[in-house]
Amino acid sequence: MIIWLASYPKSGNTWVRSFLSSLIYTKNGEANFESLKNIMQYPQRRFFNNLKGNVDNIYTLSSNWVPSQVKLNSDKKNKILKTHNIMCSINKNAFTDNENTKGVIYIVRDPRNVVTSIQNHFYKKDANDALSFILDENKIIGRNLENLDKNISKDNEIITLISSWGQHYNSWKNFKKNFLLLKYENLIKDPYKEFSKLREYLYNILNLSFSDNKFRQSVES
């Protein structure tokens, strides 16, 4: 089943993804780009191969969200997937459901700082332009639109509905199954304390345990 590592763009998702990948998928806790590949981004085009319709259309794509996750979960293994997608329904097609989701790790960042980061990352002309971005409830990023993750090949890009900052946050915080909220500002202030919450979460949800030395190395690296 899937544990979602979810956030609005530019909120610390890659930082937490790096920590998790180094803690879970390396021997000594040293972060590296290879281990990052174990926590894939969703959606990607590869996940929708052999499913119905044109997934460059948001309505067709939404009808394939859950079927694609059923396909992903057919291996009966637990997995962490990074996403910026809003937790929503389109034409009664939900982004995910309890049958495919084991839990949610959600990272939230002060929207005033998100505006600054969005302005720089997406080359917005000024703060007002970036503010319009995070207030847009119909905001879509991805293929032929605004690209976010440079680690995903152009052929594998696909549209991602992020909506507005407020709608995004509220949509995910209401998904209560094994939900953990992390605040970006707290991660900066006391990373050991905040990443300890993740360590405990992994033990409680996946029965994964790690030595103190590996935990410290993962935080540091």
Side-chain angles (χ1 to χ4, degrees):
M1 294 180 73
I2 299 167
I3 293 179
W4 297 104
L5 180 59
S7 73
Y8 194 79
K10 312 312 298 175
S11 298
N13 198 308
T14 298
W15 183 14
V16 176
R17 180 187 178 199
S18 298
F19 167 75
L20 287 172
S21 64
S22 66
L23 186 65
I24 299 171
Y25 299 110
T26 69
K27 290 183 178 180
N28 57 11
E30 287 279 357
N32 60 71
F33 288 110
E34 280 302 308
S35 66
L36 273 178
K37 295 177 182 178
N38 291 287
I39 301 179
M40 296 181 290
Q41 181 161 311
Y42 181 96
Q44 289 189 47
R45 191 168 299 274
R46 70 176 78 171
F47 302 140
F48 297 85
N49 290 340
N50 302 319
L51 295 177
K52 62 183 182 181
N54 175 19
V55 292
D56 288 313
N57 177 288
I58 188 63
Y59 298 103
T60 304
L61 177 65
S62 66
S63 70
N64 283 290
W65 281 334
V66 168
S68 73
Q69 292 165 32
V70 171
K71 183 180 173 184
L72 275 166
N73 285 324
S74 63
D75 61 4
K76 307 298 182 183
K77 295 180 181 179
N78 293 314
K79 52 189 68 69
I80 302 173
L81 294 180
K82 168 185 175 177
T83 191
H84 292 303
N85 213 97
I86 187 173
M87 177 57 222
C88 66
S89 292
I90 298 177
N91 291 343
K92 298 183 179 180
N93 296 307
F95 176 70
T96 191
D97 56 25
N98 286 331
E99 285 68 39
N100 287 287
T101 291
K102 194 176 188 72
V104 173
I105 302 163
Y106 190 86
I107 311 147
V108 64
R109 185 182 185 186
D110 187 324
R112 293 169 294 183
N113 292 327
V114 173
V115 165
T116 303
S117 192
I118 290 287
Q119 181 181 347
N120 293 329
H121 185 88
F122 289 104
Y123 304 105
K124 298 300 179 184
K125 61 183 179 181
D126 54 32
N128 286 329
D129 195 19
L131 179 61
S132 296
F133 181 109
I134 76 164
L135 294 177
D136 184 354
E137 295 186 356
N138 297 309
K139 192 65 181 177
I140 292 175
I141 58 175
R143 189 169 180 82
N144 299 322
L145 296 159
E146 286 167 293
N147 187 31
L148 181 69
D149 196 330
K150 305 303 182 184
N151 295 316
I152 296 177
S153 69
K154 297 295 183 182
D155 290 339
N156 218 1
E157 286 180 8
I158 201 166
I159 54 177
T160 300
L161 176 62
I162 63 171
S163 187
S164 66
W165 181 94
Q167 292 282 6
H168 196 283
Y169 170 63
N170 287 321
S171 73
W172 279 103
K173 77 173 185 179
N174 289 322
F175 195 87
K176 298 301 184 184
K177 184 178 180 181
N178 295 328
F179 183 83
L180 174 66
L181 178 67
L182 296 175
K183 295 183 178 180
Y184 179 87
E185 287 74 22
N186 290 344
L187 283 164
I188 293 175
K189 182 179 179 180
D190 194 342
Y192 281 95
K193 179 180 178 181
E194 295 307 302
F195 283 130
S196 291
K197 295 177 183 178
L198 264 178
R199 182 186 184 184
E200 183 178 1
Y201 181 89
L202 294 173
Y203 178 77
N204 291 335
I205 304 305
L206 299 177
N207 198 31
L208 293 176
S209 59
F210 307 94
S211 69
D212 290 342
N213 285 338
K214 187 176 186 182
F215 171 75
R216 284 194 295 269
Q217 181 60 52
S218 295
V219 175
E220 289 299 320
S221 80

